[in-house]
């Protein structure tokens, strides 16, 4: 693990220097006992706008209420024309068929796979901003917060630090953040084929992508990503929280952005470097994928 950490640190330094701009990150490799060996601690306690990376925290708060029996994944939430974010990322702004309704589970799937912005508002209907923030504070994440607005059921995605995002992900895979069912549900979304593939997972096979749970966030010049790499048996071997802004090409939200390209190259290094590591602790095997041709 220490050699893997050194290799990751070298790659991080090389790629961030090449991309330019501002970087903050916390990356660790699991040792034989599951404890983190820190590879990168680059200004890890700076509180930053996390953008869509904080959708993991939003989902965590909603699933905490599911675990406590206050919500269910099959309950329906109303999707009105007024709640749809015009031109936002995701799918709800595309179909022009409102009013309608979806299950809460569907809203969370859209939130964490295609990073749907309207799904943030749908989560706010069942978990208001003040309650959401209090849940995260109670779980030990006082810097990972959403930003309330006048409407108690609306919020901006708010802030986090690289360290807190990293620790939230470690708690998730350790099974101390949510129930086993909610943990499996959340990780299944973050590891799905439709989840973000432009960054860490870009130059990976389907099998390799299924071993990476990841969530990206982008707004303005910021290009963030955080997640976990698992071994073939489903145990976590590396956790990363990488925040970047200030690079060139700020209007480019595609895979050719310098920070996104840097993460893609770093992702390949991290996957290769951890290939011989065996994780410990809970195993989270991905759900089987069966491509369909309709019918």
């Amino acid at each position: 693990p220490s050699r893997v950490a050194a290799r990751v640190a070298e790659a991080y330094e090389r790629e961030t220097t090449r991309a330019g701009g501002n970087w903050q990150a916390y990356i660790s490799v699991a040792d034989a006992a599951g404890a983190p060996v820190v590879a990168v601690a680059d200004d890890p306690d700076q509180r930053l706008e996390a953008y869509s990376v904080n959708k993991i925290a939003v989902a965590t708060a909603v699933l905490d209420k599911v675990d406590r029996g206050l919500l269910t994944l099959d309950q329906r939430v109303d999707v009105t024309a007024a709640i749809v974010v015009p031109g936002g990322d995701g799918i709800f702004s595309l179909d022009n068929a409102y009013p309608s309704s979806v299950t809460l589970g569907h809203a969370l799937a859209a939130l964490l796979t295609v990073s749907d912005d309207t799904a943030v508002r749908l989560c706010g209907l069942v978990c208001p901003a003040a309650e959401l923030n209090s849940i995260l504070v109670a779980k030990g994440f006082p810097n990972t917060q959403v930003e309330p607005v006048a409407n108690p059921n609306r919020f901006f995605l708010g802030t986090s630090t690289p360290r807190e995002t990293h620790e939230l992900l470690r708690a998730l895979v350790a099974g101390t953040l949510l129930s086993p069912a909610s943990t499996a549900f959340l990780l299944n979304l973050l590891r799905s084929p439709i989840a973000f593939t432009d960054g860490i997972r870009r130059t990976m096979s389907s099998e390799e992508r299924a071993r990476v749970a990841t969530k990206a966030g982008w707004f303005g010049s910021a290009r963030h990503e955080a997640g976990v790499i698992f071994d073939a048996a489903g145990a976590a071997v590396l956790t990363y929280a990488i925040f970047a802004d200030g690079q060139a090409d700020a209007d480019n939200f595609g895979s050719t952005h310098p920070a996104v390209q840097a993460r893609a190259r770093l992702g390949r290094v991290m996957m290769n470097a951890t290939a011989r590591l065996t994780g410990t602790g809970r195993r989270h095997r991905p759900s089987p994928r069966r491509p369909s041709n309709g019918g």
Side-chain angles (χ1 to χ4, degrees), residues 202 221 223 247-250 252-262:
R202 189 198 308 172
S221 69
R223 303 291 184 275
Q247 291 76 28
D249 210 6
N252 175 13
F253 292 93
S255 63
T256 59
H257 185 277
V260 181
Q261 289 183 320

Side-chain angles (χ1 to χ4, degrees), residues 188 193 210 285-291:
N188 189 48
R285 297 184 182 276
S287 299
R289 301 295 172 184
R290 301 182 179 89

Side-chain angles (χ1 to χ4, degrees), residues 29-114:
V29 178
D31 69 9
V37 177
V38 177
V40 175
D42 186 357
D43 202 6
D45 298 312
Q46 183 172 337
R47 189 167 179 167
L48 304 157
E49 292 291 338
Y51 301 116
S52 288
V53 168
N54 258 12
K55 288 175 181 175
I56 302 174
V58 171
T60 294
V62 172
L63 289 169
D64 176 80
K65 293 187 68 174
V66 172
D67 290 345
R68 289 184 285 129
L70 302 175
L71 301 171
T72 62
L73 290 178
D74 61 357
Q75 76 180 67
R76 303 196 75 83
V77 289
D78 292 329
V79 187
T80 63
I83 207 169
V84 175
V85 178
D89 288 318
I91 57 175
F92 284 109
S93 63
L94 300 177
D95 65 24
N96 297 316
Y98 302 110
S100 67
S101 68
V102 296
T103 65
L104 182 57
H106 183 105
L108 289 172
L111 179 80
L112 294 176
T113 58
V114 293

